[in-house]
Each structure stands twice: as C-alpha cells, then as structure tokens.
Amino acid sequence: ERRGYPEAVYCEGKTDAQLVEIARQVVRAGTPTLFTRIRPEQVDVLTDALPDAVYEPTGRIAAWPGEAPAAVGGLVAVLAAGSSDAAVAVEAHFTARHLGRPSELVIDVGVAGLHRVLGKLDLLRAARAIVVAAGMDGALPSVVAGLVGAPVIAVPTSVGYGAAFGGLAPLLSMLNACTPGVAVVNIDNGYGAGHLAAQIAAP
Amino acid sequence: ERRGYPEAVYCEGKTDAQLVEIARQVVRAGTPTLFTRIRPEQVDVLTDALPDAVYEPTGRIAAWPGEAPAAVGGLVAVLAAGSSDAAVAVEAHFTARHLGRPSELVIDVGVAGLHRVLGKLDLLRAARAIVVAAGMDGALPSVVAGLVGAPVIAVPTSVGYGAAFGGLAPLLSMLNACTPGVAVVNIDNGYGAGHLAAQIAAP
Amino acid sequence: ERRGYPEAVYCEGKTDAQLVEIARQVVRAGTPTLFTRIRPEQVDVLTDALPDAVYEPTGRIAAWPGEAPAAVGGLVAVLAAGSSDAAVAVEAHFTARHLGRPSELVIDVGVAGLHRVLGKLDLLRAARAIVVAAGMDGALPSVVAGLVGAPVIAVPTSVGYGAAFGGLAPLLSMLNACTPGVAVVNIDNGYGAGHLAAQIAAP
Amino acid sequence: ERRGYPEAVYCEGKTDAQLVEIARQVVRAGTPTLFTRIRPEQVDVLTDALPDAVYEPTGRIAAWPGEAPAAVGGLVAVLAAGSSDAAVAVEAHFTARHLGRPSELVIDVGVAGLHRVLGKLDLLRAARAIVVAAGMDGALPSVVAGLVGAPVIAVPTSVGYGAAFGGLAPLLSMLNACTPGVAVVNIDNGYGAGHLAAQIAAP
Amino acid sequence: ERRGYPEAVYCEGKTDAQLVEIARQVVRAGTPTLFTRIRPEQVDVLTDALPDAVYEPTGRIAAWPGEAPAAVGGLVAVLAAGSSDAAVAVEAHFTARHLGRPSELVIDVGVAGLHRVLGKLDLLRAARAIVVAAGMDGALPSVVAGLVGAPVIAVPTSVGYGAAFGGLAPLLSMLNACTPGVAVVNIDNGYGAGHLAAQIAAP
Amino acid sequence: ERRGYPEAVYCEGKTDAQLVEIARQVVRAGTPTLFTRIRPEQVDVLTDALPDAVYEPTGRIAAWPGEAPAAVGGLVAVLAAGSSDAAVAVEAHFTARHLGRPSELVIDVGVAGLHRVLGKLDLLRAARAIVVAAGMDGALPSVVAGLVGAPVIAVPTSVGYGAAFGGLAPLLSMLNACTPGVAVVNIDNGYGAGHLAAQIAAP
Amino acid sequence: ERRGYPEAVYCEGKTDAQLVEIARQVVRAGTPTLFTRIRPEQVDVLTDALPDAVYEPTGRIAAWPGEAPAAVGGLVAVLAAGSSDAAVAVEAHFTARHLGRPSELVIDVGVAGLHRVLGKLDLLRAARAIVVAAGMDGALPSVVAGLVGAPVIAVPTSVGYGAAFGGLAPLLSMLNACTPGVAVVNIDNGYGAGHLAAQIAAP
Amino acid sequence: ERRGYPEAVYCEGKTDAQLVEIARQVVRAGTPTLFTRIRPEQVDVLTDALPDAVYEPTGRIAAWPGEAPAAVGGLVAVLAAGSSDAAVAVEAHFTARHLGRPSELVIDVGVAGLHRVLGKLDLLRAARAIVVAAGMDGALPSVVAGLVGAPVIAVPTSVGYGAAFGGLAPLLSMLNACTPGVAVVNIDNGYGAGHLAAQIAAP
Ligand SMILES: Nc1ncnc2c1ncn2[C@@H]1O[C@H](COP(=O)(O)O)[C@@H](O)[C@H]1O
Ligand SMILES: Nc1ncnc2c1ncn2[C@@H]1O[C@H](COP(=O)(O)O)[C@@H](O)[C@H]1O
Ligand SMILES: Nc1ncnc2c1ncn2[C@@H]1O[C@H](COP(=O)(O)O)[C@@H](O)[C@H]1O
Ligand SMILES: Nc1ncnc2c1ncn2[C@@H]1O[C@H](COP(=O)(O)O)[C@@H](O)[C@H]1O
Ligand SMILES: [Mg+2]
Ligand SMILES: [Mg+2]
Ligand SMILES: [Mg+2]
Ligand SMILES: [Mg+2]
Ligand SMILES: [Mg+2]
Ligand SMILES: [Mg+2]
Ligand SMILES: [Mg+2]
Ligand SMILES: [Mg+2]
C-alpha cells in the first residue's frame, strides 16, 4: 500500500498466471487494490481468483475489496465531453470513490451544447476537484475552468480519428488551456485523474 | 487577377528591388492587389512605390488601391480569442473588406470568459461566414460553431509557447472540432481565412 | 436537432445496445439523423432498429428518414482524386444531399491526369461549394481552387502508406495550398466536409 | 478578477503602449494583477507605469500591488531539479505567494543526487501541494510522488538541448510518470503551476 | 560469426521455410547463433529444426548451442523498472550470458519505490556494465547512474499507453538523462543492450 | 574529385580561416570545386581567396574555375513553382551546368496557374531530367510527372510558414506523389538535385 | 497507358469486384498493366480473372501480360540491405524488368558487412541506375553512392521496430545522405523506385 | 565530485555572476571540474576567474585544473564523420582525456569515402571504446561497429539542414544501427560520449 492509498495493478500486459498470483498475494496481505485496464478475456480469471472483488465493465476496472470506503473529504466531480469518453470518466469516478471520496459523474456535456455545461454549474461549484475527460478538440476543460475556482484535472481521450492522432490533439489543447487552473494527465488515464482528484480533495 | 478577386503578393521573402518592380507592374496593369506579411523594414519601400496604397500595421497588410470596394454580399464576422490574436484577425478582416464584403471585427472573446462570447450572439447569427482566430487551446471555433448555422473558418495562431508548438496545438484542436461546420486554414493565415470568408459570403 | 440541420451519431465506438437505444429515441422524437462511420458488424443492428433508414455502404453512412429532403440552395460538387478516396467522397455527397442540397459526385480525377480535371470545368464552375477528397500528395485542391471562384473544402484521406502517415501528408499539403480559397477538415471527415459545403451553399 | 484570484497579463507579445494602457486600467479598477513572461526591455515601461508593483527578475514576473496577501491555506512546496530550472520555479513560487498561500522554494535537487531529494522529505511531507520543475529527463516528479501523499504538479522546462526538443522530453516523461499523483502543465508554465497549487492548497 | 561474438537471426519477418534453412546452415557451419524476437507460432518450427537449442519464452529468444559459454569478464547487471519490462530485461540477460558474461537479473525496481533500488546497491556497485530497461517515464537510468561509476545502457520499452507513444517518452527521457554515464539503444532492444554490455564487460 | 564530378564544399559552418585554407588546396590541386550555401559574410573571403571563381548570389553558390565545362549529355530542365523558390532552383541549375550539362531554368510556374505549366510542355518533353523546386503544398512535381516521361527530381523548399513546418509539408507531399517517376531530395537541397539530374542526363 | 509505360493498379484497398472489373477492362483494352501491393486473399481473384498474368509472391506484384518485354536500355541494379528488405527490392526489380530494362537483384548486402558490398563493385559500376532498399539505419545508399557515378534511388523500408517508426528513420537518413547522387522515394515503394530507375535507364 | 570523476558545469544558461561564484567554489573545494558548452561571451569571465584552467575553443569546453591526469586504462578513439562534426568530437576527446584516459582523435572520415575509414582500422582495433560523431545520415557508427569488437558510442550532431531536423535524422539512424554494439547519447552531447567512453575504458 502506497502512502495510505490502495495499490493498483496495471493488467494490460499481465498473463493469467501472473494475475492469479497477484490476487493470491493481495488476499494474503489484505491490501486494498485496484485492477486497471482489464482486458475482456482477463475478467473471468480475475473474478474467479477474487470473488469478493467488484468489476466495473465500462471503465474496465475492479476493486478488492468490492465495497468502497465511506466517503470522506471534498466532492470530486467527473465530466465526460462525449458519450464515447464515458469509459475514461467512469474509471476516474470509480477510482475516486474507492480512494474514499464522494464523487459525481456526468456524461455527454461537450462544448457543442453549452447549455448542458451551464446546466451543471451547481455541481461544478460544489466540487473540491473536477476531472474532465474529453477527446477530439479537448476544449471542455478550458470552458469549465473559466466557470469555477476548483482545480481541473484534464484527461485527454483517444476518442476520434485522423488528426486526433490517438489523443495527441486534446492532449496539446489541454496543456495550452487558456484558463489557469488546469493540469493534465496521460491520454485515457482515468485512473490517474481519479487518484489525483482524491488526493486534492483529501480531508 | 484571379477569378475576379485581387491578386496577392506574399512579401516575406521578397527583396526591396523585387517589391519595387512588382509595384510598378501593379500600377501599370491597374490590378487591385493585396500585399501580405510585410516585414517592418519593407513598409517604407512599399508605400514610397505605391503612395495611394493603404497600409494596416497590426495585420502587416496593404492594399492597392487603398480604398476598399463597396461592400456587397453577406456579412463576414471576424473573432479573435485573445488580444494577442489580433494581428491575424485584422489581416482576415482587412482582406474580406478589400475583397468587397461587409465585415465586423471583435477582439478578445476567448472561452475563458463565456459571457463575452455569448454577448456577441446577435452579430454571430447575422453573419454569412465567421472567421475565428485563436492560439493556445484553439477552443473557440467549437464553441462558436455550436451557437450558429453559418460556416466557421478557424485560423490557428502561433500565439503561445511550449506545447503550443508554434500553432500546432490549436491547429489539431480545430481540425478535431467536436461541432460540425468548422474548416481550418494554415497557422496565422488570416489572409486565406478572409479570402475564403469573402468567397463564401459572395452575393 | 442542431441549428436546423440533422443530428449525427458517430457509431465507431458505440455498442449494439447503445445504437438500439439511440434508434428508439430518434424515432420517438422524430429527429432526422445521420449515422456515420458505421462498422460492418453494426449495419444489421441499425437497419433492424430503423427499417425505414437508408444505408450507403461505400460511405458507411445511413440516414433516417431514408429519403433526402428536396434539394434547395446552391450546387455542391464533390470530387475524389482516386478511386480509393471514393468512400470519403460518398460520405460527403450523401451528407450534403441529406442536409438538403443538390450535389454531384465525380470519382477518380487526380492531378496525374490533368485532362480529366479540366474535363469537369463546367461542373466546377456551376458549383456554389466544392468538396475535394484526396490522399497521398493532396495536390488536387490547389489545382481545383486555381480554376474556380467557389470555396473549396479539402478532405485529406488516409489512403496511402509509408510517408503518407495516415493522412498527415495530404493534410499538411492542403493546409499549405498555394491557391487561396481552400479550407481543410479532419482526415477522412467526409461527413464534416459535406456538412460545411451544405452550410456554404444554403439558400 | 476571475473567481477570486488575481488577473494575469501575458506580456510576451504586448507593445509598450498596450502595457501602459493595461497598467492604467489595473490601477483605476484596483484589480490585483500578475504580469508574466515580461521581456527585459518591458521592465522599465511596466515599473514606470506601476511604481508600487514588485518585479521578480529571475521569474520575469511582477505583481500589483507589490505586497503579497497574508498567507492562508496549506503549504505549497516548489522544487527545481537543476539550477537552470530556477526561473520557472521562482515564477511558480511567486504566483502561489501572491495568490495567498505560504510557499517554500528549493533549487537544485535533481535525481542525480538522491540524498539531496531525501534531505527535503520533511518539507515535502508538510506540503499540501508540490510543484516540481524539471527539464531534460523530467525524472524528479516520479521520484517525489513516490515519497509523499500530496498532489504533485509537474512543470517541464525547456532547459536542455538536442533531443530535449524544447521541453518535449520532460513533458512526455512527466505525462507517463510511473507513480500516481502527478499532473502536468505546459512547458515553462511556472505561472500555471503556482496558480493550480494555490487552488489545491486553498483553505 | 561477427568479431568473435555469436551471430543473431532476427526472426520477426522470416517465413518458416527461411527459418528451417537458416537452422540447417547454422548446424552445418557450427556457428553459435542467437534467434531473437521469435513469434509464438515460430517456436515449434525452430525447436524442431534445432532440437539442441534453448528457448527462453519470456524474452522470446533462443540460443544454439543451448548451453551458454563459461562466464568470463566483468559482471553484467540487468534491471527492469516494472514487471512489464521483464521481457526486454530477460532478452538482455540471456544475450549477455550467451556472449559469455556473468549476468544478474533484477525485476521490478522502479523509482516509485526508491528503497528497492537502494536495496540493490551492492549488486550495482559490483557490476562492470549495467543494463536498465524501463518504459513510461524512463526515469530509472538517471537514478541508477547517479549511484554508480559503471556505464549504464538504457533500454526504453514500449510498455505504457497514450503519450508513451510506443516507447518514445522513455527514449527521449533516457537520451536526456541528467546524470552522465548513460547511453541508449533502440526501444525494446534487449538484445542490443545485452550485446553491448557483454562487449563493455569483456575480459 | 569524386567519380569524375567536381568536389563540393558545404560552407554553412566553416570559419573564414577554414575557407581560405580550402581555397588554397583547391587551387594547388587544381580540383574543380563548387562552394554551396555560402553565407553573405563569407562571399568576400571566398572571392578574395579565389579571384577566378564565379559567385551566383541568388543560389548562394560559387564555382572554381568560374567557367562551366562545355555542355554535353541530355537537357536538364529546372522549374520553380513560386518566385520564392528561385534560390533553390538557381542552385540546381548552376550545379547542373557546372557538372557539364545543358540546363534551362523556369521560375514561377505553380499549379495555381496551370496554363503556365502547360505553356512549358515543349521544354519539359525535351528534357532528359527535370528538377522541380516547390514549397508549401509541393503539388507541382505530381502535375509535371503526369505530363512527361522523364524522371522528375523534386526539391521541397522551406518557403512558407505555419504548417509548412520548414519544408516538411512539401517533403511529405512529394514523397507521396500520386504519379510515378518522382524522387525527392532534402529540403532546400538544390545542389543535390542538380547533381543527380546531371548524373541522370550524363552522356 | 501513361507516357509509354504500363499502367499500375494499386490493389491495397480494392474489393474483389473492383479487381475483376479492372481485369476485364485491361484485357479488353490490351493495356499492359502492373498490379501492386496485392493482398494474399486477392491473389486467387486476380489470377482467375487474368490467367495469363504472372504473379510474384515475394514482391506481392503481378504483371499482365506475364512475359516482360525484351530488355533494352541501361542496366538497373537493385540491392537490398537485409534479407527482410527483399520484398521491396523484388518489387523494384520486377517493375524495372516489366518496364523493359535489364535488371539484376542482390539481396543481403548491408553495411555491417562491408566486404559484401565491395564484392558487388563490378555490378554497381556497370549499372545505369541503382535502386537501394534498406530499413533501420538506411545507411547503405550513402555508402553505395560513394562508390559509383550512377544515380542511386533509395527506398526506405518499414523493416525494424521501435525508433524505426515504420520507416521514418531510414527515410530521414536517406534524405540526408552525405554523398550526392541519392534521391528517395516513399517508404516501401519498390514499385516507384523500379519505375524511376527504368525511366533513368531508358535507351 | 561524482563517483570519482570530475564535476561538470553546464554553462549554457548561466549568468556571469553564477559562473564567477561557481569558479570560486571550485577553487575553494579543489574539485576537478569541466565547464561545457561555454558561450563565446563567457570565455573571458571564466578564464579570468580560473586563470589556471585550460580552454578548448573548438569544443567550447574548459577544464580545471588545466592539466589532464596521467592517462590510464584502455584507449578511447574518437571519430568525426565530417569536418563540421569536429566540435562535438573535440568535446568528447577532451572529456575522455580529462577523465584520465588515453585518447586519439580523427576528423573527416565519413562513409562517402570508405577508404579513409578503412585506413583507420589499426586505431579502431586498438581501442577499448570508440566515440563516433556524425550528422546528416548518421551512417558511420554502423560501418565502424561492423569492423571492430569494441563498443561504439554514437553521437548524432545537429550538422545539416532541412530533413536533418536539428539532429533527429542521425539520432534515429544511430538508434537503428544495423550492427550490434552501438549505443547513442543526446544530439551534440560530446561531453556525455567522452564520459561514457572513459567509464568503459576505465582500468
Ligand atoms: N499571407 C499569405 N499566405 C499564404 N499565401 C499567400 C499569402 N499572400 C499571398 N499568398 C499567395 O502567394 C502567391 C503569390 O506569391 P508570390 O508570387 O511569391 O508573391 C499567390 O498565390 C497568393 O495568393
Ligand atoms: N464522422 C464524424 N466525424 C466527426 N464528428 C462526427 C462524426 N459523426 C458525428 N460527429 C459528431 O459527433 C457528435 C456525436 O457524437 P456521439 O454523441 O458520440 O454520437 C456530434 O457532435 C456530431 O456532430
Ligand atoms: N505565463 C502565462 N502562461 C499561460 N497563460 C498565461 C500566462 N500569463 C497569463 N496567462 C493567461 O493569459 C490570459 C491573459 O492574456 P492577455 O489578455 O493576452 O494578457 C489570462 O487567461 C491569463 O490567465
Ligand atoms: N548544399 C549541400 N547539401 C548537401 N550536401 C552538401 C552540400 N554541399 C556540399 N555537400 C556535401 O558535403 C560534403 C562536404 O562537406 P565538407 O567537408 O563539410 O565541406 C561533400 O560530401 C559534399 O558532397
Ligand atoms: Mg478554474
Ligand atoms: Mg455551426
Ligand atoms: Mg478558388
Ligand atoms: Mg504522491
Ligand atoms: Mg554512472
Ligand atoms: Mg513522369
Ligand atoms: Mg554516386
Ligand atoms: Mg562492434
């Protein structure tokens, strides 16, 4: 366990045997652990090895133990610009909850429909930390940061095609946010964004 | 003269002698001509050679003859996200006017202050073509295109530093605008944007 | 429905369940809708859920309702440089028609055979907006824009290999078109090009 | 004034006349304001126009009024990996102080000499937010984040040459920090990092 | 045989027939040979054709003859920052052993847990050449090189996602190592790193 | 002298002392030599040291001895798309002549004005090798290669701004020429293009 | 038929139906035609539709009619640096032969074994045009061009991994060949290289 | 002093006052120190502050104390491909000597003239470590590594223009060296290469 927060296992490149062995150690040591970027064919292996874990398919993430700790600290708000960005936003939301924060999730509030963003002002102004996931033009964090005083963690997503270049376009856009109060994590790194938001909103 | 529009002379790499020679030909043939990207040290050479030209220092552009034609066709609206984007916006505005369109220019309406964008809705909805110049995150065209039915010509600017990479960040952002109705011209190409807007708004 | 134009659903990352749910909402609300970038395995799901939609396999696009509105406004001409660029050109043509414009489509008129481009001069000069799809060297928009006064919307395609870098080569080429009157949309974004052309040619 | 924090004027591309005009408005409205990225030749103009401002030459930043507000909220720790990163770190430190936070600055604690990093553990563990400025390999934020529970704001700097590519190397390195709890701002953006740290450590 | 070291066959693009033919030549000529980057479906073909070869599945590498030569020269230490970097580290370790050096392998000693790196100081200080494989931020070689006097061969790995860009992030990071004594080989090139380490540690 | 062709001295990074020393050696050995990319401040040094050399200021190139050899072999045609590409075209033309070929130079025949290209068909069809220098969209080589059977050597130039990225745009465009019969040399490398053309057109 | 040379059909993105239709037209018109980049699953379709075509599997290329024209003009020499570059070299060789040139092919003569390059000096000096295919470091064209007076057409290949970036490394290397007399075609473009070599060596 | 080797001061971004202060500390502590990348205008400041230092203008490097230690350990051979690469090679040579190794320097042995490389075989085979500095195509390290058993440290230089992209071309080329036994340091990093060579050749 790292500085009081759960461990995280990055499942992408792990073999089934490695996952089973890690699961065994997790249970033996009783370490609260998140499993991230679980490939579809790994789900059964993991849930067989850790029956009391909870698996969240949209965010391809699991937690052991399955129940999130009681929510303490400030509110974490998680926004997804498009419905295709939901996977990353869910990963962030799930992470923040399992690190012990209250968290609210809002999907599909892109800048093409400003009224929907403005309709969430109350939530945004109540938050202690805001995660914004967006692909393509990555414009949402600049707009959100202009509306609130809380720090904004921007997560570029690989949603898009062509000159989105796998998330490079929103990554650069977010790094150049014209509003102060925005910091950026790796493309599709919902886990990292949720972790950081939980640290910021810690009691 | 190309398809009824004035000629344009790209001054960047021209010697003084070349400019003087071009000025002579322009007058002799009576061809309405724009001079773009005039370097400071070229201004005197040009205005000496073409006394009845008009020079616009912010946009580093000049026109001969100096008076713009009567405005016909639809309205061209030109927006600059930040005050540092003014040079590019002025170049577009000047071009559209000298190609014969009515044109209005608005500076410093970035997405960090949404109310200022929304305060220009009447102008935006009156326009037949909209030019939006923005550097850094290049987020403004997506927001504008979501508010209007007119085509938006986005011009990324080289304003910014670091990961703006000389305008690459807003360029990619604009190419990936999450709202349809946006097309993009080269970084800092106010001339091209104004020209295209004038063609779109032609009577 | 956005500013009077049909909605568009970007199908690429959607699950079957999501598509079925969207189809249900579309019918319930009676919103004219385009479905873009439909993956082959999604076709049956979509056409089962929306029997009165029309699916265009070359452009991987569908429209509900299936019949395009009566054509009003200026003519949209859509050109593809090579036969491999047809998919993108068809997507643009289909979009322009379903946004209510008259549209003509010409395939395989690349710059390697100039006489074929020149053979289409009458069509090009009749158009109010021209879409040009090209991969590889992306040279066609510059040539076309030199022949006409109408605005040219250039769509780089990902056709090619090696140093085409998935459409980067024609993208950069088109952004640097040596003829004014060219603006660019995202790589392979036939939908966006057709949409913009329809806006430009609006009555 | 934006959301309770001072305004910031980005001086890089401003003319002397623009600066003087902005200074006049600042005084008239009484808005606490930071002036960032002041070019050497702008210093006299600015300090003449705003005699009661304070100018910090290492960080090329100034504040009006000159005295920072009383320090409230959590501690902001600012680290520079090398002495060449001091300019960026000072800009962050100055910003955090003038946004009202207590802030401590430590220069020259790169990973090549781990004992110096470890010698600052007490400070790091006392901080509510940590800014880490580093160029070249950008390795310091990963190391720091592994030692503490507070959020780390990483600022890549353009210090270095060759394959540092103007700060691209540390930027990518930091975005891929192998420890959670790191977010990144633009290359050389000490202002943005200090601003975000002040927001995180707000009371 | 090249300068006294075994030959190496790069299996990636070879057909089964080519592999069998190469195996025949190797046996006929009696040339000690390494087979690198063996695809899973090639393993049987190769081990059938060379029954007395040894195949190492983690590193996707094989050697003929199977037994490594007696270990002479200085010690080669091979470190992997994360468990996902093991494949590359094993390839380097196997290569160094089969080029005749004593070699020790340590997995999962990333900078996020400094104490584990520091726990290996005795090994690192005993080595004549050190190979360090790391993906993501590529920070480990800088830290290691600061602790020892031996040359460090850094191998960036393609482990990671998003802005890791297939190993570009650790590659640039390592090229900019802030500690002298680090040189870099191609992304995922465990073979090249092991070869170079064996040359450095040659008796 | 290399394979029968004159030597070339790349002047860009040479000190005055080095140039004088090289000039001395050239005269002593009697080696026909080209001096390329001569900086303005080097011209006097060079012409003082080699009074019987000929210096061509547009192409920043000089030859010793000054008189070109009698023209033998096939005709080399050199085209520049814009007047700003003249420097590179002149460098190629001068090189071809001083390697002994007949050469003709045509400036300002870009694709924006197709009739001017078509007006040169007789020259193009008479040539044994064609050099085409173009910046920005780099479209001219594709068009030319479609009109003739002779090999086309394309030289991208750094003319342009923004997304021309110092010649990257025409470089990629030319590498992807949709007409066969085009090969490419380095950006601004008129010397290399003229040299290759002279080799192709050798008797 | 283009300027006297056979037509070429780029098969990569064609459907079976398109190929069959093209084959029908080719036979009807009697146009000699090359089919390039044939995917394995297209081979039967093509050879069924054109029984008297010849298919070359290594180069994934076919010609109709199957028999190459009598060889006239200068010799084309085609070199591959590694055995993995054979596919590209064979494509060039096959193209040159079917455009009517005598052609010789040499595989596996990389710079790591200079003696093998030097062992081919007689062939290289007999050639009128030389094609050099190489991946990875792309060093062979520079070495070859230093040994001969004939023009060298360099073809970068996508052979390699990691920092080869799909052929970018040898592409840049070849564009910067330190020996004059080298021009470059697109990555893996054996067809284009063979075509150009045939044009250079035309009688 | 780091692990027994002299300290190094990177002068690029230092002010005169900082240099003087560092010089004072160096003398006081008696630490052998190298000063690298000294800007011309810094030379006098440094040599005034450290009269018994030695300054090497070609390599822009200085050492204190001025006399290099007695040479112990294996021989370091330093090669420069072109005369323009001399600065980097001299920096490496000077560094290796001042770290206590015997070192030999050879300038202008590029692959365009293979006989000159081959003429240095005796030196190359006598060396315990070889530094190879090359710009443009970066082909020399591959050729050298194929001739010897000693490790080769390749240093890409920023010599060249256009598609050399400031040293990116030789950097990628060297990372993809087709011969094993090559590792790479940062562009223009002669200091790092000399340091590493001295470590490899340590007694
Ligand atoms: N600022 C500009 N940006 C892009 N193209 C321009 C610009 N100004 C002029 N041009 C174009 O450059 C060409 C004139 O180039 P030149 O003959 O060098 O003056 C014409 O095609 C103009 O349309
Ligand atoms: N092919 C496409 N390319 C770019 N944007 C698209 C495309 N299809 C739909 N869109 C836009 O994507 C948004 C819909 O995204 P979604 O909610 O994920 O279906 C709308 O703003 C559409 O205008
Ligand atoms: N150094 C800086 N880096 C990034 N953004 C800045 C900087 N300084 C000021 N800004 C932002 O730039 C905007 C002011 O720009 P301007 O109107 O051109 O002075 C505000 O949104 C500031 O928050
Ligand atoms: N403008 C140029 N571009 C590319 N290579 C050149 C150029 N001028 C000379 N060279 C080559 O550079 C080498 C001479 O370099 P140097 O010894 O530095 O003068 C020779 O191989 C020339 O062929
Ligand atoms: Mg905010
Ligand atoms: Mg719109
Ligand atoms: Mg036009
Ligand atoms: Mg932490
Ligand atoms: Mg070390
Ligand atoms: Mg041709
Ligand atoms: Mg040659
Ligand atoms: Mg070797």
Side-chain angles (χ1 to χ4, degrees), chain F residues 18 82 106 133:
Chain F
Q18 287 175 308
V106 187

Side-chain angles (χ1 to χ4, degrees), chain G residues 170-182:
Chain G
L171 170 63
L172 294 184
S173 177
M174 290 166 173
L175 285 167
N176 287 284
C178 60
T179 331
V182 178

